[in-house]
Amino acid sequence: MLELLINVKDTRDDDAAMQAGMALASRHHAYATGLNIVEVYPSTMAMPDVARVLEEEEEEARACDAWWGNTCRRNGVDGAWEVIRGIYASVLARRSCMADLTVSRLPNGGDTPPNGMDHISQALLASGSPMLLVPQTCGDPSFRLERILVAWNSTEPSMHALRAALPFLRDATMVDMVDGSFDELPGIAPPLLPVRDWLKRHHVTLSSLRDFPPSTHVGEALLEQAYAAHADLLVMGAWGHSRVSEWMLGGTTRHVLKHAKLPVLVAH
């Protein structure tokens, strides 16, 4: 059974991550765990009344178990509600390693912490599950993923993302792939992954496959291609030579997650 972890920041029926996660869980017969994180800031723990406030927040969050149960029943989904207190990114990364896919909001809504790296990006770096990240104003509660664009560069992260997206690729009416891979050191470096044969074995038919045009602004170019294709989902691995340079220097993946106006499925 597919395991979805839905990171619920706002316990409301119109929460974008909740709606997307529930729609996918219902369509793909997945188990949906709703996760609410009571965030702890270590620097404040010595302050008076902080422990009491955290206990109250945790109690309020646990009381939402009935809301989650009703939501699951309304959508015909099996699931559970979990509340965990701790450092946000660490909790999300650790809990998400048990899921096939984590559903959360795109980190482009102005909630970036002072250190410059949002919680979602930190969790992704910390080796959690692949993440399906949706805009806060996703719009359609049915969350149909009819047109999918795959950004491929023949790396392990792009393969991880492709595997996680497989249930959605099989159901899509259009799957386009842009290929940015190249054989850097023929005969020395590992060969390019035979992705087309892999997709055929898994009953995914590509509507188009084209080389990704050279660009100094890969993130912008990927989003432009996704919008031009009217894609409902962009699938990509963390795109860069190293995770440190990719995130700290504002690389392709960081640009996409900051500026995307469509759902993005990303894996490290």
Side-chain angles (χ1 to χ4, degrees):
M1 174 182 283
L2 185 68
E3 290 258 357
L4 296 183
L5 180 69
I6 305 174
N7 182 31
V8 181
K9 193 168 185 178
D10 297 322
T11 52
R12 302 181 343 196
D13 289 340
D14 62 349
D15 178 77
M18 187 278 290
Q19 288 185 338
M22 278 293 163
L24 294 178
S26 177
R27 197 170 301 133
H28 298 279
H29 309 289
Y31 190 87
T33 299
L35 174 66
N36 186 268
I37 300 172
V38 178
E39 187 169 7
V40 171
Y41 299 92
S43 61
T44 67
M45 292 307 295
M47 297 173 62
D49 297 328
V50 168
R52 179 181 56 79
V53 170
L54 289 173
E55 287 176 3
E56 291 175 355
E57 289 182 6
E58 188 171 346
E59 185 177 344
E60 289 177 4
R62 292 192 183 281
C64 294
D65 178 77
W67 167 77
W68 186 256
N70 290 333
T71 302
C72 288
R73 284 189 291 274
R74 190 168 63 247
N75 288 275
V77 169
D78 288 332
W81 178 248
E82 293 184 14
V83 177
I84 303 178
R85 187 198 304 189
I87 298 173
Y88 199 103
S90 299
V91 169
L92 183 58
R94 182 174 177 82
R95 181 58 184 83
S96 68
C97 73
M98 294 183 67
D100 295 302
L101 186 67
T102 297
V103 184
S104 190
R105 290 183 186 175
L106 271 165
N108 56 12
D111 52 357
T112 301
N115 66 2
M117 188 181 293
D118 59 87
H119 296 319
I120 301 301
S121 301
Q122 292 178 57
L124 191 61
L125 275 174
S127 300
S129 70
M131 291 188 171
L132 174 62
L133 305 173
V134 298
Q136 294 188 34
T137 53
C138 198
D140 183 6
S142 67
F143 200 69
R144 290 283 176 185
L145 302 177
E146 302 287 351
R147 305 171 65 87
I148 300 177
L149 178 67
V150 177
W152 174 257
N153 63 353
S154 197
T155 60
E156 291 179 20
S158 60
M159 192 66 230
H160 293 162
L162 202 58
R163 278 187 173 279
L166 194 56
F168 316 135
L169 296 172
R170 287 176 176 145
D171 286 352
T173 58
M174 181 209 80
V175 179
D176 285 347
M177 177 176 283
V178 290
D179 189 351
S181 58
F182 59 95
D183 204 348
E184 296 180 273
L185 297 170
I188 299 176
L192 300 180
L193 296 171
V195 66
R196 280 175 286 184
D197 292 339
W198 184 87
L199 287 169
K200 286 179 182 177
R201 289 197 300 274
H202 288 275
H203 310 291
V204 176
T205 301
L206 291 177
S207 303
S208 70
L209 172 63
R210 57 189 181 276
D211 292 336
F212 189 77
S215 174
T216 55
H217 302 289
V218 179
E220 291 180 15
L222 280 178
L223 290 178
E224 287 174 2
Q225 296 231 1
Y227 300 147
H230 303 288
D232 302 309
L233 176 69
L234 172 63
V235 176
M236 64 182 294
W239 190 302
H241 294 294
S242 74
R243 286 188 288 178
V244 173
S245 65
E246 174 74 9
W247 294 98
M248 297 305 183
L249 301 181
T252 299
T253 314
R254 192 172 186 181
H255 178 91
V256 169
L257 298 191
K258 184 177 181 181
H259 296 284
K261 295 180 175 61
L262 79 163
V264 179
L265 194 157
V266 62
H268 60 82

